[in-house]
Amino acid sequence: MATHHILDPNLAEGGRRRMDWAAREMPVLTSLEERFRKERPFEGIRMSCCMHVTTETANLMRTLQAGGADIVLTASNPLSTQDDVAAALVTQYEIPVFAIKGEDDQTYYRNLHAALDHKPQITMDDGADLVSTLHRERRDLLPAVICGTEETTTGVIRLRAMAADGMLEFPVMAVND
């Protein structure tokens, strides 16, 4: 099983510098990271995340990791992936990332499956592709899933349709509501 799929690990230093710069503009997340280091609220929880691989998301991943979460990240939109950030997460924070800017559809779905191979207990989604793939193709993993989050209106619409059809197997919180 692959441990990550990124463009170039040598981009990591630039990604780390940009993550640090972004973190200075995210004081609430920084304070949560400090609190989580002490309290470890996600100790032992496996999370699979399908989100934009950006400096902001990277700092969220660091915060969840500080809280004890065992995280895997894949891209929700390959066009927004920041390859240097993906490299920094993998090489400097030991967070598995499956994302390359501009990846084709076949690679995108292979990376979704790599995130699901992590056997998540919590999902974090941006567009409902991870949760939809989990329900359509990886149903064997559903019993272990406690809950999930969804970031976009489009994803919420997809999930509400699944729920109305009786197909959504676990609760998902719309984070923007």
Side-chain angles (χ1 to χ4, degrees):
M1 180 163 71
T3 59
H4 64 273
H5 183 234
I6 59 174
L7 180 66
D8 182 357
N10 295 315
L11 299 172
E13 184 54 32
R16 187 200 52 77
R17 281 195 309 270
R18 290 190 331 105
M19 287 169 58
D20 290 346
W21 178 86
R24 288 192 296 273
E25 302 299 319
M26 304 170 83
V28 172
L29 200 58
T30 301
S31 68
L32 281 173
E33 183 175 352
E34 291 169 11
R35 178 177 161 193
F36 283 3
R37 274 192 206 296
K38 295 173 190 156
E39 296 177 9
R40 308 282 292 173
F42 300 111
E43 188 70 47
I45 298 291
R46 290 182 312 278
M47 293 184 183
S48 291
C49 307
C50 180
M51 306 173 81
H52 294 276
V53 181
T54 62
T55 55
E56 298 83 1
T57 299
N59 284 307
L60 173 61
M61 297 299 107
R62 279 189 353 189
T63 300
L64 294 170
Q65 182 185 55
D70 180 4
I71 302 169
V72 170
L73 175 64
T74 190
S76 62
N77 180 341
L79 298 178
S80 68
T81 295
Q82 296 170 349
D83 290 318
D84 59 340
V85 170
L89 285 171
V90 168
T91 65
Q92 298 187 10
Y93 299 98
E94 298 180 355
I95 295 174
V97 177
F98 296 86
I100 294 177
K101 184 176 181 83
E103 65 193 20
D104 60 27
D105 282 350
Q106 181 180 6
T107 304
Y108 175 77
Y109 285 102
R110 186 174 62 239
N111 288 341
L112 276 178
H113 282 279
L116 291 173
D117 287 344
H118 190 55
K119 300 180 181 172
Q121 295 163 291
I122 296 176
T123 63
M124 296 181 77
D125 220 340
D126 185 348
D129 281 351
L130 189 67
V131 172
S132 296
T133 301
L134 179 61
H135 280 77
R136 268 192 331 269
E137 301 175 38
R138 303 294 296 274
R139 295 190 61 78
D140 59 306
L141 301 175
L142 287 170
V145 180
I146 302 165
C147 62
T149 65
E150 172 54 49
E151 191 168 326
T152 66
T153 302
T154 301
V156 169
I157 290 168
R158 290 175 72 188
L159 294 171
R160 285 189 177 142
M162 287 174 67
D165 292 340
M167 302 301 292
L168 188 59
E169 300 278 336
F170 55 87
V172 179
M173 179 177 66
V175 297
N176 292 321
D177 284 353

